[in-house]
Amino acid sequence: MELSLVALLAGSFAVTALARRLGLSAPLLLVVVGLGLSYVPGVPEYALDPELILTLVLPPLLYSAALDSSYLRLRDNLRPIGLLALGAVLFTTVAVGLAAWWLVPGLPLAAALVLGAVVAPPDAVAAAAVGRRLGLPRKLMTILGGESLVNDATALTAYRVAVAVAAGAGYGLAEGLGVFVLAAAGGAAIGWALGWLVDRVRRLLRDGVLESAMGLLVPFVGFVVAEEVHASGVLAVVLAGLYLGHRSPAADPVARLQDRAVWQAADTVLEAMVFALIGLQLRAVVAGVGPAVGTLTGVGLVLVLVALVARVAFVFPTTYLRPLARRRADWTPPSWRHLAVVSWAGMRGVVSLAAAAGIPLTTMSGDPFPARDEVVYLTFVVTVGTLLLHGLTLPTVIRRLGVQASDESTDALAEAQAQTDAGAAATARLDALDDGDPLHAQTVAELRSRIEARTNAAWERLGGPIAGGGDTPSAVYRRLRRAMLEAEREVFVRHRDQRRIDDEVFRRVQHELDLEEVTLLRE
């Protein structure tokens, strides 16, 4: 088992590195390679453990995405995000469930709705990766990211209710709706409370290392506590991440630097592993359905089309057919091109497979769960089918429709204006602290020049390269200073190798050089 896990992690990492080097979609390449390897002799059969995925993989991915999300932008786009994360998921659940009930002979309606709930939530990881690479407008990225944060909670709660009905729990429509509302409200409350508590504790700690260590526990604590009281663990993790991300300026700066690096690395490893697992499931799920694999594959492809049509049929009407009484006088409908991109970003992911694998083997009466193997296989076909369909075509759709960001100049102007105000505030604070001591004059002058350089650099970025193709003064400064830092680093390495300074001294100096170089790279 240990060797298989190491092979999975190393192999998925290697494929991800290759995809980045070639400029390809890493999730898509991982799935394709996994599909091919699933039948290679000697490759172990990887069984997808739903508890492992839903408890140890999903929470950190959601928490990291929530930390990087803008609470203010999500609030501004609450309506489209809510419609997609709640309305579109429930609409797709019903549409796919009814289609499967009609297409698969003998499939009970409750089991068909379980399938619908399992495949309803799109996984925006792959879509977001494509969008960032091709420069989707920020609003579209916010909507897709916000949908991916919440739709898993909607789908998993609907899945829980549907499984209970299929297993003979005796839920009616009212009871099922009550369970749904309580789970959502409870998860949101737990997440907000956890975020508030962690924010207060880290203010008391004032220790970057301890704050980062505590942050690593937050997604798991939030998810487990919420699930223990039958609330939505997904919403608890998302709300905690949004709260702490919005309050991050109050955290220790060391914690902020560490958290960004740690979560980016964790995301890369976890996403690579889960997309590789999707492809590697092929042999196991095919074995579960036996001779019916051909018929079920055809049904699964039809359900891919149903899921696609359901998303399109939901997105356009709910956007354009707003109640006239609620329309503001200045409201303008979004471009149909933007809606087309949102409609086409419907890839499913590992959450669907994990939920399907978590369907109980028996009902409450001890009988086998109806059509469990068929539901698992159809989930696999829909997941892989949407990943391949949308993953291969979404970049082309974005390019053909000409949907690209126009935020760069606006961002540069806003940053330059904010940097000017910040520089004025910093200068005023420096004037208040300057005691006029001649011994401090050089230090004060150097600080003033630094403020001016940062402000000038912000305005230079707005103007772009200077005439004649030369570099701006700030660009020249960054190039020369990086060359100086490299020369300094070489000397410190040589002194360390010659045992003239200790490794502990070397690491401390190297950290200072790295911080300055990272700042130059950022600018």
Side-chain angles (χ1 to χ4, degrees):
M1 178 186 296
E2 291 82 359
L3 186 59
S4 298
L5 179 59
V6 170
L8 172 63
L9 291 173
S12 57
F13 180 81
V15 174
T16 301
L18 178 63
R20 291 192 175 190
R21 177 64 61 89
L22 299 177
L24 302 175
S25 170
L28 185 60
L29 186 60
L30 284 162
V31 171
V32 172
V33 172
L35 289 171
L37 289 177
S38 63
Y39 277 100
V40 173
V43 174
E45 184 174 310
Y46 290 91
L48 192 66
D49 186 342
E51 291 298 323
L52 177 68
I53 296 297
L54 296 180
T55 305
L56 297 180
V57 175
L58 182 61
L61 287 175
L62 289 172
Y63 181 71
S64 173
L67 284 177
D68 277 343
S69 298
S70 168
Y71 162 75
L72 298 176
R73 289 209 310 267
L74 290 176
R75 188 181 64 183
D76 291 341
N77 294 280
L78 193 59
R79 182 183 182 274
I81 292 172
L83 284 172
L84 289 172
L86 183 64
V89 168
L90 295 178
F91 183 75
T92 304
T93 297
V94 174
V96 172
L98 291 177
W101 180 52
W102 181 60
L103 290 170
V104 182
L107 181 66
L109 179 58
L113 290 176
V114 170
L115 171 63
V118 164
V119 302
D123 183 349
V125 171
V130 173
R132 281 192 296 269
R133 192 169 71 248
L134 298 180
L136 276 182
R138 181 171 296 146
K139 182 171 183 176
L140 286 188
M141 293 296 293
T142 299
I143 291 173
L144 291 175
E147 177 194 10
S148 69
L149 287 175
V150 184
N151 63 5
D152 288 337
T154 304
L156 290 175
T157 306
Y159 157 82
R160 182 187 301 169
V161 174
V163 167
V165 172
Y171 280 165
L173 179 60
E175 291 86 350
L177 183 60
V179 170
F180 187 93
V181 172
L182 287 176
I190 291 172
W192 183 88
L194 178 62
W196 181 88
L197 178 62
V198 171
D199 181 50
R200 295 309 184 273
V201 171
R202 71 184 181 186
R203 291 189 185 190
L204 297 175
L205 292 175
R206 304 309 301 172
D207 185 309
V209 175
L210 290 178
E211 289 183 35
S212 294
M214 183 174 61
L216 293 175
L217 300 176
V218 171
F220 305 106
V221 171
F223 189 86
V224 170
V225 170
E227 291 294 321
E228 281 295 317
V229 298
H230 305 291
S232 172
V234 171
L235 275 181
V237 172
V238 168
L239 262 294
L242 285 175
Y243 187 95
L244 292 172
H246 188 65
R247 301 289 299 172
S248 65
D252 188 277
V254 173
R256 286 196 297 271
L257 289 173
Q258 290 179 155
D259 286 349
R260 185 175 183 85
V262 167
W263 286 114
Q264 284 181 343
D267 287 349
T268 300
V269 173
L270 292 176
E271 288 171 6
M273 183 183 70
V274 296
F275 281 107
L277 277 174
I278 290 176
L280 291 168
Q281 294 301 298
L282 177 61
R283 186 168 60 185
V285 295
V286 167
V289 295
V293 60
T295 302
L296 289 175
T297 300
V299 172
L301 294 177
V302 173
L303 294 181
V304 170
L305 180 61
V306 172
L308 170 61
V309 173
R311 186 171 175 87
V312 174
F314 184 88
V315 168
F316 279 87
T318 55
T319 301
Y320 287 124
L321 301 182
R322 295 182 65 183
L324 295 178
R326 295 182 58 192
R327 288 190 179 180
R328 301 190 306 271
D330 60 344
W331 182 79
T332 55
S335 167
W336 69 268
R337 294 179 174 85
H338 290 193
L339 297 183
V341 171
V342 171
S343 300
W344 203 254
M347 306 134 178
R348 272 60 182 176
V350 74
V351 173
S352 296
L353 288 181
I359 297 174
L361 297 175
T362 61
T363 64
M364 297 182 68
S365 62
D367 297 325
F369 192 95
R372 184 184 185 279
D373 289 338
E374 287 78 2
V375 170
V376 172
Y377 182 75
L378 289 173
T379 300
F380 178 83
V381 174
V382 173
T383 300
V384 175
T386 54
L387 273 172
L388 295 178
L389 172 64
H390 298 297
L392 290 172
T393 58
L394 183 59
T396 302
V397 169
I398 293 173
R399 292 192 187 97
R400 290 289 179 87
L401 294 178
V403 180
Q404 293 181 340
S406 58
D407 308 316
E408 289 186 5
S409 60
T410 304
D411 287 349
L413 178 60
E415 181 184 355
Q417 291 172 339
Q419 184 62 58
T420 299
D421 294 340
T427 302
R429 182 68 59 86
L430 181 61
D431 290 338
L433 297 175
D434 186 4
D435 57 6
D437 189 336
L439 295 176
H440 300 163
Q442 183 177 354
T443 302
V444 172
E446 182 179 345
L447 290 172
R448 290 186 189 279
S449 66
R450 250 182 221 193
I451 295 171
E452 293 175 0
R454 288 178 64 87
T455 303
N456 292 338
W459 288 103
E460 288 168 7
R461 282 196 293 274
L462 184 64
I466 62 176
D471 291 331
T472 62
S474 295
V476 173
Y477 169 81
R478 290 194 300 273
R479 175 168 53 81
L480 296 178
R481 183 54 186 152
R482 288 186 64 193
M484 293 170 63
L485 290 173
E486 184 62 31
E488 291 180 52
R489 187 177 287 108
E490 290 173 358
V491 172
F492 282 113
V493 170
R494 186 166 64 250
H495 279 233
R496 181 204 60 182
D497 294 343
Q498 295 173 354
R499 306 293 179 88
R500 298 168 68 180
I501 60 173
D502 187 75
D503 272 300
E504 185 174 344
V505 176
F506 171 76
R507 282 192 291 268
R508 183 170 63 248
V509 175
Q510 181 176 245
H511 180 67
E512 294 172 358
L513 297 177
D514 289 345
L515 286 176
E516 184 173 355
E517 185 165 7
V518 168
T519 302
L520 293 172
L521 290 173
R522 156 67 180 86
E523 292 176 351

